Amino acid sequence: MHFSSLSLGLLSAAGVVVNALPGLGLGDLLWPLKVPDTVVIDGWRLVDAKTRLYLGDRELKAALKHLTAQADSWLSQGPWTVTAKTKPPPNGTIHDYSSQAPYWWPNPSTPDGCPYNQRDGERNPEVDQYQDRVSVGKMFNSTYVLSLAWYYTGEKRYSQHAADILRTWFLDDKTAMNPNLEHAQIIPCANTGRSIGIIDFSQEYTNVVDAVAILNSGPAPGWTKRDNNKFVDWNKRFLAWLADSPFGVEEASAQNNHGTFANMQIAALAVFTGNHSLAVQRTRIARGFIDSQITANGSQPQELARTRSFHYSNFDLCAHLRMALIARKVGVDLFRYKGPQGQTLFKAVEFLVPAAKGGARAWTYPELGFTQYAATDNVRAAAQEGDTVARGAVKGLKAPPGGDIFGLRPAPEQLDSIATVG
Ligand SMILES: *[C@@H]1O[C@H](CO)[C@@H](O)[C@H](O)[C@H]1NC(C)=O
Ligand SMILES: *[C@@H]1O[C@H](CO)[C@@H](O)[C@H](O)[C@H]1NC(C)=O
Ligand SMILES: *[C@@H]1O[C@H](CO)[C@@H](O)[C@H](O)[C@H]1NC(C)=O
Ligand SMILES: *[C@@H]1O[C@H](CO)[C@@H](O)[C@H](O)[C@H]1NC(C)=O
């Protein structure tokens, strides 16, 4: 459903918002806001939150303080560019995003250091020659937070800075990233990039797409129609690479969280660029992942087998829940989908609820660094969709550092630090 060109008043006349915003009276429906055409977040939920803020909702006002504090901290940082790195990747140009596998070290007994050896958990400082991994994380977070802060406050310094960061990373000829990930998670001597490096983007890039959709709902000061057209074009080329290149195909067919995230990212870009059939096709793959990754009792055996089982159970589930939000934009309901053994996304969230409320004591699987708030957004997302167990748990959840802003960007995020690929 794409509402972006309609005002809320028109939607209410069509009977849509009356159901969507149960707390609102007639007067509020005259609030003339465009519904952002976001691909993960349901855009009307942004309008709902803005309206509630306007009416003085206390919880959202507290969340807005957290959001603007985060946005303010980004005002003095960036923009970032792939062209700032020390050197181009092997077989690539300075415009290619590049990152190096952090746990691989040169061989001390050969003159050229080849072949590199893996030392798990020990970070090789040589990876800093490719600063793109660090820069891109800041680009992802800052554009999202700044766009949201502009949306709720109308303060143009936020949208102007978001636009500046976006143009520098994606659009300006001198500094733009090429739309591919051929050189991510390089292991020197062994390769010039790997398919698993796509997760450098897939875990957070879809936030940037929503950030741009939010800016487009303005129009926001600093972000023009021309900028948007160029950004859509960049994403069409990136999507073609993700969907059809050998690395893209390999990553999206991985059977663990790499596949869940890659497939979710493809679906998001398909919706954003208007490739409906590709998005629908990816929702079928997503159903297959629910069948194969989640059991009837909601456990995710592949993730439970890891040394950071709580982190990874939440990580994979976050991709599933975001995919379910995207699928709704093409009329597919994954929240209500049931696998052949009765597997559902709600069951997978419910499996995590005791530890989300009760902490490490309630988690009996291996976990090297239990972080209770890792589950907070997933539980909120299920509660928002009406799962009663999740609803009952919301009050007992732990907020992440920097405060709980779920109400202002109602799509789940991986809130604890993201483990680096090996
Ligand atoms: C990639 O670069 C390496 C060294 O920089 C070179 O040996 C190799 O032939 C190149 N491979 C391709 C496919 O161009
Ligand atoms: C981005 O935000 C996530 C949580 O939302 C956090 O874990 C991560 O550290 C942040 N990264 C940067 C570079 O700010
Ligand atoms: C949708 O994406 C697929 C995969 O890249 C491509 O083959 C197809 O032509 C695209 N369709 C449209 C309408 O752009
Ligand atoms: C959940 O189901 C799986 C697969 O059937 C099983 O191995 C596991 O023991 C079950 N876990 C719980 C806590 O019931």
Side-chain angles (χ1 to χ4, degrees), residues 107-237:
N107 191 322
S109 44
T110 59
D112 59 357
C114 295
Y116 270 46
N117 299 317
Q118 191 169 21
R119 289 199 229 152
D120 203 15
E122 283 183 64
R123 189 175 177 282
N124 179 357
E126 193 187 288
V127 308
D128 294 332
Q129 69 189 331
Y130 301 122
Q131 299 100 327
D132 298 353
R133 180 74 194 92
V134 171
S135 304
V136 82
K138 294 177 180 171
M139 187 275 287
F140 293 149
N141 285 17
S142 63
T143 52
Y144 197 38
V145 164
L146 287 163
S147 301
L148 285 159
W150 165 77
Y151 180 74
Y152 289 110
T153 66
E155 287 185 34
K156 65 179 187 215
R157 62 203 168 115
Y158 294 135
S159 61
Q160 283 169 339
H161 195 46
D164 193 21
I165 293 168
L166 290 164
R167 271 192 300 270
T168 305
W169 190 277
F170 296 101
L171 309 181
D172 291 346
D173 289 343
K174 266 198 176 141
T175 52
M177 172 185 161
N178 289 333
N180 73 68
L181 295 169
E182 290 287 350
H183 303 289
Q185 296 295 327
I186 295 167
I187 299 172
C189 312
N191 56 55
T192 60
R194 289 181 295 161
S195 63
I196 64 162
I198 289 174
I199 207 156
D200 284 7
F201 262 65
S202 61
Q203 56 196 0
E204 290 183 298
Y205 177 60
T206 51
N207 287 343
V208 176
V209 177
D210 270 1
V212 168
I214 288 167
L215 294 177
N216 287 340
S217 75
W223 183 249
T224 66
K225 217 176 170 84
R226 187 166 169 272
D227 292 331
N228 180 57
N229 291 341
K230 281 179 88 172
F231 184 74
V232 171
D233 181 60
W234 192 96
N235 280 280
K236 283 184 178 163
R237 290 183 289 143

Side-chain angles (χ1 to χ4, degrees), residues 295-299 301 304 351 365:
T295 72
N297 62 35
S299 68
L304 286 182
F351 190 88
Y365 304 93

Side-chain angles (χ1 to χ4, degrees), residues 363-383:
W363 189 252
T364 56
Y365 304 93
E367 178 54 68
L368 292 176
F370 185 88
T371 309
Q372 191 173 340
Y373 63 76
T376 294
D377 264 16
N378 288 340
V379 177
R380 300 270 324 248

